[in-house]
Amino acid sequence: MKPAPFNYAVAHSLDNAQKALAGGQNKLVSGNQSLGPMLNLRLTRPTGLIDIAQLTDLRQVEDFGDRVRFGAATTHAEIEDGLVTDPTGHWMCDAAANIAYRAVRNRGTIGGSLAHADPAADWVIVMTALCATALIRGSDQGADLRTLPIEDFITGPYSTALGPDDVLAAIDVPRPGKGARWAYWKYTRQVGEFAKASAAILSDPENNRLRIAIGALGRQPAILSQPQAILDGQVSPIDALQNAIPDQPVETLNLHAVALSRALAQLAERKENEA
Amino acid sequence: MDKNLGAEEQGMGIGARLERKEDDRYLNGKGRYIADMRLPGMLELAFLRSPMAHARILSQTKPDATENTVFFARDLEGVSGIRAVSGLPGFRPSTQPILAEDKVRHVGELIAACLAPSRALAEDLTEQIDITFDELPAVHDMTKARNKDAALVHEDWDENVFLESAVDINFEAAVAQADVIVRREFKTARQCMAPIEGRGLIAAWDRNLEVLTLHSATQMPHIVRTGLSECLKLDHGQIRVIAPDVGGGFGYKGILLPEEVCACFLAMKLDRPIRWIEDRREHLIAGANCREHSYEITGYAKADGELLAVDCSAIVDSGAYSSYPFSACLEAAQVASILPGPYLMQGYRCKTWSVATNKPPILPFRGVARTGVCFAMEVLLDSIARELKITPEAIRHRNLVRPEQMPFTNITNKFFDSGDYPEALKRAVAAIDMTGIRAEQQAQIGRTRIGVGLSIFCEQGAHGTSVYHGWGIPMVPGFEQAIARLTPDGGLELRVGVHSHGQGLETTLAQIANSEIGIDTKKIKLVHGDTAYTPYSTGTWGSRCIVMAGGAVGTACASLGERICKIAGHLLQADPSKIILEDGMARIGNSAISIEEVAKTWYLKPQLLPDDVDPRGLEVVEGYKTVKDTGTFSYACHAVKVAVDLDLGHVRLLDYVIVEDAGTMINPMVVDGQVYGGAAQGIGTALFEEMCFDASGQPLASTLADYHLPLASDLPAIRIEHMETPSPLSRFGQKGIGESGAIGPPAAIANAVNDALSFLGAEVSEVPITPERVLAAVGFARRSQQTKSGDAA
């Protein structure tokens, strides 16, 4: 299990990294927690890796008041440990703390995870439910960043809206308003596994955001329609999922319906706690 | 038995809770494993392995200019394949090729050997080789392997069966009085053993000594040497096998691998050291497969719970080849003889088939077939109990062999040496708080249900010559030898042919020696893992070391003690037979001389020796066998409390109790360690570990992301209670318990899950008990209920 030969270079600037991307032979790497095993199994054979994990531009976290901008190379551990601002109070911190296990979190990055777009990854569903925005730097845009809502950024399993020369530079996470509530429930049989089913709910009345996302579907997260009716119990979890993902086998629907039920229960519990 | 037995609880002899001598090395990262070793001029070996489960090889083409770095079967001049032929009639022998020539029979089988200065470069070479295949239908399901239309794994066989066996003891007569007949089918998944360290080796030819030296991560160095001698046609004297620190064995590291034979051949051919380190992918796909059984089993009982008879048809998926040295038939032999467990019964019938499939050879993993038969028997018993509306503990109490019957010869002629099985059951039931759990269950209403399960079994360990000969296994253990040598400074060297790789033998054998001749354990050095230094032994397997090597060390030390006393008697002008050896001294009355002084006298001041001194000196070889070679029978009762999430099918272990009788414990902490580690692996069997194959024989788990081992977070804090009934067969009353922990969990956990699901009428019957299997059982029960109520309407 040794990788096929490849070149490795540390990027000194975003410009530098983007230049190296031209031609399509090289791949960006930040935490290397998903790519590394694939390299070792020779499932992927890039000509070269451009390491952007230490780029200053990608390591900034800026608070704009209504949102916080996370540089793409912010590690899960930095979020878990509260070394960077968590606009949600502690929701991101809690989610980060349950990504894989600590060794992965030390190196794995939020941008790397989103750009890899594993359907079962935590940030993929959490950022979708939190109504986050991807900031993309194209090759010819200079310092201007293109923005895309995460649900448009992730286009399928392991697939994103990134063009061949694009770099995911940062993620904007909106700061929830007063009285906002959050639930995130995932089923992993063992600690450190990718989720088999997951559901996340953001209820942020002050900012008029109500979103229910279902993850680990083998594709991009599903954002459920009629979230208020689901919250109010007018649409049952299983009905909601049958509407949203009718093509899935019944076992999968059931499992995700359980995830949704438990996320709803979590949300209700939090309401009581706050009352 | 030894005079000091039980007298040194606080000392460093038998029974002391002594910290392990090897801990400093193991716990501080100071061990030296194969992967830590490099020899000058060494090349790394990587193998091209078969991507197909069953295929004819049409052509093999090397890349240009690789005559000395890429090798096919045709290059292995004079090398024989590996054969392990059962001594039982009807056995169909296989030859496991070192490198496949005309046909491959499982994914991962070796096809070409590639050498390069680094492993990565060697792997690059494997990719440049061109092989063309003609794919054949694969035999992937053991239950279909005997079908008329099944492809033949070995084309010169008439069916895919290594061996079938049948035993019928008074069956028809016994079942005549049965009130209930309960039939079930059970399966245990194919597993991988997954020691932390995989296999690994360095082979080198010593030009000076004209000796092939193989450093190998093995638990049976002498057996590897014998196997190599057969395959390479070398004299034993030309082969030295060294097992350095080994990171767990569990049975896998007792097997002679084609990789070992191949590396040795290449090291001799090229006169360069060759290293191969098995990676986890090779390990999972091709190496350490184990455990896959299928049972159709029927229990016959009377209304009061008395078990009359058991009828069983069992299939073992033995894979493609008979492995050296245990053969393809150890599992089935154990199934047929151990299935009745610790129970009384009047009739017994069992048929077994060791079938050949297009999968890697099945290898004996900690517990071997005991884990499977315990699962089948114990889950069946609970089903019978539910049918009879009696408790699991009641049906067991009704049928367990009772202490007043000990020693007891059971229906398959197993000689249970000692113990109180019902007491173990009673203690486990109390410790898990059965009464409390039953009350808790009465009150539960939600979607999470509590269940409690028991399993009880006995573990035949250190079974010897007659047992292995009777099973037809090509390797038959005989006397176990040990060498005890007093060194000139009064230290003691113990040389044994078994290998210690987590068993704590460096400590426990020293404790035995201390009990015998009173030398401080700090001054006792265990020499093991090198065929050049140690007496021949079949090695470390079958829960045998503390009984066999322990007995041998005890015997050798006793003889050495006599010689020490003789010299000491002369120096003290006293009767040697009255001298006592303790605390490093030879004592009589008020006079004493240090054992160190005795040693100095023999080695350095022979002028002081008596004229009639024993010229063999202070070095002793002794051989040891137990009083009977039928084995010690340790036993245990496992009790577990689980919570089953009915929506997810998720099983959580809430509490786990093990009541264990290891006979006399040489070191209780080491016994605990063995039980904890085994139980963790048993929990893996019960809940997580499964190597799936698709219909073309492709393994579906090739990394630890897909092959699920139990994690620390999956394990409850296991509570162990000890009983201590000495064995009348062993030197100190000790019994083998190395495998015990791994035997009980699948049965106990399945029983607990079935207990939790009993209000639905659902039962699981396969391990691992995955969420999918729990949900399937619940769904099946629901549909059956609906059909029933539909019929009623």
Side-chain angles (χ1 to χ4, degrees):
Chain A
M1 286 204 303
K2 305 288 181 198
F6 63 91
N7 299 314
Y8 172 85
V10 176
H12 300 294
S13 69
L14 258 180
D15 284 341
N16 179 249
Q18 265 173 325
K19 272 192 199 113
L21 275 183
Q25 297 296 301
N26 294 326
K27 239 178 137 58
L28 295 180
V29 58
S30 58
N32 201 35
Q33 296 306 293
S34 296
L35 187 62
M38 289 163 67
L39 283 172
N40 283 345
L41 293 167
R42 302 196 174 200
L43 294 172
T44 180
R45 297 168 184 242
T47 307
L49 294 183
I50 314 300
D51 194 334
I52 54 172
Q54 297 304 323
L55 278 185
T56 318
D57 288 352
L58 302 186
R59 302 265 309 133
Q60 307 300 315
V61 176
E62 278 178 280
D63 193 340
F64 294 104
D66 63 336
R67 66 193 195 284
V68 170
R69 177 164 298 177
F70 291 89
T74 308
T75 66
H76 312 320
E78 286 165 336
I79 297 170
E80 175 186 11
D81 296 346
L83 299 178
V84 295
T85 307
D86 181 347
T88 65
H90 57 85
W91 304 340
M92 281 180 66
C93 170
D94 292 349
N98 285 300
I99 295 172
Y101 39 91
R102 181 71 197 198
V104 169
R105 301 198 289 270
N106 283 339
R107 284 188 172 266
T109 62
I110 187 168
S113 173
L114 290 168
H116 183 59
D118 187 315
D122 290 272
W123 290 134
V124 167
I125 177 171
V126 167
M127 287 297 117
T128 302
L130 287 175
C131 305
T133 306
L135 286 88
I136 300 164
R137 194 171 126 143
S139 57
D140 47 2
Q141 288 167 285
D144 293 337
L145 299 176
R146 192 164 96 235
T147 64
L148 265 184
I150 287 291
E151 60 268 31
D152 297 331
F153 173 77
I154 296 166
T155 54
Y158 307 99
S159 125
T160 66
L162 287 171
D165 302 341
D166 286 346
V167 178
L168 174 62
I171 299 96
D172 274 0
V173 180
R175 178 168 267 122
K178 271 213 181 81
R181 288 177 297 134
W182 167 254
Y184 174 42
W185 194 90
K186 65 173 175 175
Y187 179 46
T188 59
R189 198 172 171 218
Q190 292 186 289
V191 171
E193 277 187 342
F194 276 108
K196 288 183 170 29
S198 60
I201 309 172
L202 172 70
S203 165
D204 181 3
E206 197 177 276
N207 291 303
N208 208 17
R209 290 193 192 104
L210 175 60
R211 182 170 278 195
I212 304 179
I214 305 294
L217 292 169
R219 40 156 274 190
Q220 67 271 49
I223 297 173
L224 301 186
S225 53
Q226 298 179 277
Q228 192 60 54
I230 296 170
L231 237 54
D232 296 343
Q234 288 154 7
V235 174
S236 73
I238 189 74
D239 288 343
L241 284 158
Q242 253 152 9
N243 293 337
I245 44 169
D247 52 329
Q248 299 274 350
V250 62
E251 293 82 8
T252 310
L253 282 177
N254 285 338
L255 195 59
H256 286 84
V258 173
L260 177 52
S261 307
R262 297 201 180 176
L264 286 166
Q266 211 180 66
L267 196 78
E269 206 174 289
R270 295 214 169 131
K271 186 179 196 176
E272 283 160 25
N273 290 347
E274 283 164 17
Chain B
M1 290 212 295
D2 182 72
K3 58 187 182 297
N4 293 331
L5 179 61
E8 299 195 32
E9 293 276 322
Q10 303 308 313
M12 48 181 74
I14 290 170
R17 301 178 66 86
L18 205 63
E19 290 196 2
R20 294 189 307 180
K21 288 160 65 75
E22 48 268 67
D23 277 352
D24 175 52
R25 193 162 90 247
Y26 287 156
L27 303 185
N28 295 307
K30 294 182 190 168
R32 192 179 66 144
Y33 299 85
I34 293 289
D36 298 320
M37 299 165 62
R38 306 188 69 83
L39 296 181
M42 188 175 85
L43 292 171
E44 299 279 354
L45 174 58
F47 291 98
L48 174 68
R49 292 172 180 274
S50 173
M52 288 175 196
H54 199 194
R56 236 175 282 289
I57 297 174
L58 300 178
S59 70
Q60 303 177 313
T61 314
K62 292 182 189 181
D64 291 341
T66 56
E67 273 311 310
N68 290 316
T69 50
V70 174
F71 301 90
F72 291 138
R74 61 174 181 258
D75 300 314
L76 306 182
E77 309 108 16
V79 178
S80 304
I82 296 171
R83 283 168 73 85
V85 179
S86 165
L88 297 182
F91 178 77
R92 294 178 183 82
S94 66
T95 302
Q96 182 178 18
I98 306 307
L99 297 174
E101 188 154 23
D102 47 358
K103 191 172 157 175
V104 287
R105 294 183 180 83
H106 66 83
V107 171
E109 188 166 357
L110 307 181
I111 295 177
C114 300
L115 295 171
S118 78
R119 172 67 182 241
L121 290 169
E123 287 185 22
D124 290 350
L125 266 181
T126 66
E127 294 193 328
Q128 296 162 29
I129 295 169
D130 186 25
I131 309 285
T132 56
F133 296 99
D134 177 18
E135 192 166 6
L136 300 167
V139 183
H140 80 286
D141 180 346
M142 64 175 144
T143 63
K144 295 178 185 153
R146 287 183 294 134
N147 290 358
K148 289 279 171 266
D149 59 346
L152 284 173
V153 177
H154 298 279
E155 280 152 31
D156 51 339
W157 294 10
D158 51 339
E159 61 170 343
N160 290 318
V161 177
F162 284 101
L163 186 67
E164 57 181 273
S165 76
V167 51
D168 184 334
I169 302 156
N170 193 36
F171 178 74
E172 291 298 339
V175 301
Q177 323 141 47
D179 295 316
V180 293
I181 301 172
V182 176
R183 187 179 171 284
R184 290 290 184 275
E185 290 180 16
F186 297 112
K187 268 188 185 169
T188 56
R190 185 165 273 247
Q191 257 185 259
C192 284
M193 300 187 217
I196 288 178
E197 181 206 28
R199 293 291 292 253
L201 59 89
I202 303 176
W205 178 251
D206 187 323
R207 257 179 281 177
N208 168 227
L209 295 172
E210 296 181 7
V211 164
L212 169 74
T213 303
L214 174 68
H215 298 262
S216 183
T218 177
Q219 61 196 76
M220 293 158 56
H222 293 273
I223 292 297
V224 168
R225 184 184 186 214
T226 296
L228 285 175
S229 156
E230 287 173 19
C231 292
L232 296 170
K233 299 176 187 68
L234 292 176
D235 296 340
H236 273 67
Q238 289 176 288
I239 306 170
R240 176 181 179 192
V241 177
I242 301 171
D245 278 326
V246 171
F250 310 121
Y252 179 39
K253 291 180 184 163
I255 305 301
L256 176 70
L257 293 183
E259 287 89 341
E260 288 176 307
V261 179
C262 185
C264 287
F265 172 83
L266 294 174
M268 289 191 295
K269 182 182 169 75
L270 303 174
D271 195 11
R272 288 186 70 170
I274 307 284
R275 184 167 77 164
W276 171 67
I277 308 285
E278 180 187 60
D279 70 27
R280 194 56 66 178
R281 194 152 191 255
E282 296 179 288
H283 183 89
L284 291 171
I285 290 176
N289 281 220
C290 57
R291 281 275 191 274
E292 193 172 11
H293 297 185
S294 163
Y295 298 88
E296 291 176 16
I297 184 168
T298 310
Y300 298 79
K302 290 177 92 164
D304 68 351
E306 183 191 351
L307 188 63
L308 296 171
V310 169
D311 185 18
C312 178
S313 294
I315 306 173
V316 173
D317 186 332
S318 293
Y321 300 109
S322 180
S323 281
Y324 187 94
F326 290 104
S327 88
C329 303
L330 176 62
E331 302 261 339
Q334 283 199 347
V335 168
S337 66
I338 292 173
L339 182 67
Y343 299 109
L344 299 161
M345 62 186 72
Q346 299 165 21
Y348 176 61
R349 190 165 72 180
C350 184
K351 279 186 165 177
T352 70
W353 290 268
S354 303
V355 305
T357 60
N358 290 114
K359 297 180 191 170
I362 197 169
L363 308 176
F365 175 37
R366 196 177 201 173
V368 198
R370 305 178 192 97
T371 305
V373 295
C374 175
F375 173 66
M377 189 67 197
E378 291 293 290
V379 179
L380 175 73
L381 264 192
D382 270 27
S383 299
I384 297 173
R386 272 193 295 278
E387 184 84 20
L388 293 173
K389 299 190 168 50
I390 60 177
T391 64
E393 55 272 34
I395 196 167
R396 286 175 176 78
H397 275 301
R398 181 73 186 75
N399 294 293
L400 283 172
V401 172
R402 296 183 300 278
E404 66 272 17
Q405 294 174 297
M406 293 289 182
F408 180 79
T409 302
N410 86 341
I411 191 155
T412 53
N413 219 20
K414 293 286 168 192
F415 181 78
F416 298 166
D417 54 348
S418 67
D420 187 342
Y421 301 170
E423 175 68 14
L425 175 61
K426 218 168 76 188
R427 287 198 199 180
V429 165
I432 201 76
D433 186 19
M434 186 69 82
T435 317
I437 295 173
R438 292 300 179 211
E440 202 179 334
Q441 284 178 318
Q442 291 300 316
Q444 61 182 350
I445 43 168
R447 297 295 292 166
T448 297
R449 296 291 174 135
I450 305 279
V452 59
L454 300 167
S455 70
I456 183 162
F457 57 91
C458 43
E459 181 199 0
Q460 186 180 21
H463 26 342
T465 312
S466 66
V467 179
Y468 272 77
H469 176 67
W471 282 343
I473 306 303
M475 178 191 75
V476 178
F479 284 91
E480 188 70 25
Q481 291 176 309
I483 299 170
R485 173 197 280 171
L486 197 65
T487 56
D489 56 358
L492 180 67
E493 273 180 19
L494 299 172
R495 295 167 182 252
V496 291
V498 298
H499 189 265
S500 182
H501 41 275
Q503 292 82 356
L505 292 170
E506 292 175 38
T507 306
T508 50
L509 294 183
Q511 289 181 255
I512 286 174
N514 174 270
S515 280
E516 290 282 359
I517 52 173
I519 293 177
D520 190 317
T521 53
K522 288 189 221 52
K523 294 187 77 174
I524 300 174
K525 168 83 182 155
L526 184 75
V527 178
H528 64 104
D530 190 332
T531 58
Y533 287 147
T534 63
Y536 196 94
S537 167
T538 54
T540 298
W541 56 275
S543 300
R544 66 189 298 277
C545 292
I546 204 61
V547 174
M548 299 305 295
V553 162
T555 313
C557 286
S559 294
L560 179 63
E562 284 173 20
R563 297 193 201 171
I564 293 170
C565 288
K566 187 149 189 207
I567 297 172
H570 176 72
L571 296 173
L572 294 169
Q573 294 299 302
D575 176 357
S577 69
K578 302 221 165 75
I579 289 177
I580 292 167
L581 300 177
E582 58 184 12
D583 303 330
M585 304 298 286
R587 254 189 250 286
I588 180 162
N590 288 330
S591 55
I593 184 171
S594 70
I595 291 176
E596 181 178 351
E597 197 50 43
V598 172
K600 280 212 171 75
T601 306
W602 167 261
Y603 289 105
L604 305 171
K605 305 176 193 168
Q607 67 275 17
L608 300 180
L609 291 168
D611 293 338
D612 64 343
V613 71
D614 186 334
R616 291 170 300 175
L618 298 176
E619 178 164 340
V620 175
V621 188
E622 288 286 354
Y624 172 79
K625 258 191 180 185
T626 46
V627 176
K628 273 166 79 80
D629 66 10
T630 46
T632 57
F633 280 77
S634 68
Y635 56 96
C637 185
H638 289 214
V640 60
K641 180 183 179 186
V642 304
V644 182
D645 182 319
L646 299 176
D647 292 323
L648 295 169
H650 188 87
V651 176
R652 214 151 37 94
L653 305 183
L654 303 176
D655 192 12
Y656 205 112
V657 170
I658 298 175
V659 178
E660 168 80 59
D661 191 339
T664 305
M665 290 187 282
I666 306 301
N667 182 332
M669 284 202 295
V670 170
V671 174
D672 284 352
Q674 285 280 23
V675 175
Y676 287 134
Q681 289 176 314
I683 288 167
T685 303
L687 294 177
F688 300 107
E689 298 186 44
E690 182 166 22
M691 177 56 84
C692 296
F693 288 79
D694 70 13
S696 65
Q698 288 291 331
L700 300 180
S702 69
T703 72
L704 292 179
D706 307 308
Y707 185 81
H708 299 282
L709 292 169
L711 308 179
S713 45
D714 298 315
L715 302 175
I718 295 167
R719 297 185 284 139
I720 301 176
E721 280 189 27
H722 293 292
M723 295 168 61
E724 209 167 349
T725 316
S727 170
L729 304 183
S730 62
R731 184 172 173 91
F732 307 103
Q734 76 276 36
K735 297 183 176 188
I737 49 99
E739 300 167 83
S740 171
I743 298 170
I749 293 169
N751 280 336
V753 170
N754 288 344
D755 181 52
L757 300 180
S758 62
F759 79 104
L760 297 169
E763 283 184 6
V764 294
S765 58
E766 283 182 47
V767 286
I769 305 165
T770 57
E772 293 77 12
R773 289 198 172 104
V774 172
L775 293 177
V778 169
F780 180 76
R782 192 188 301 124
R783 284 192 301 279
S784 308
Q785 291 291 337
Q786 284 163 357
T787 318
K788 263 190 213 158
S789 52
D791 291 348

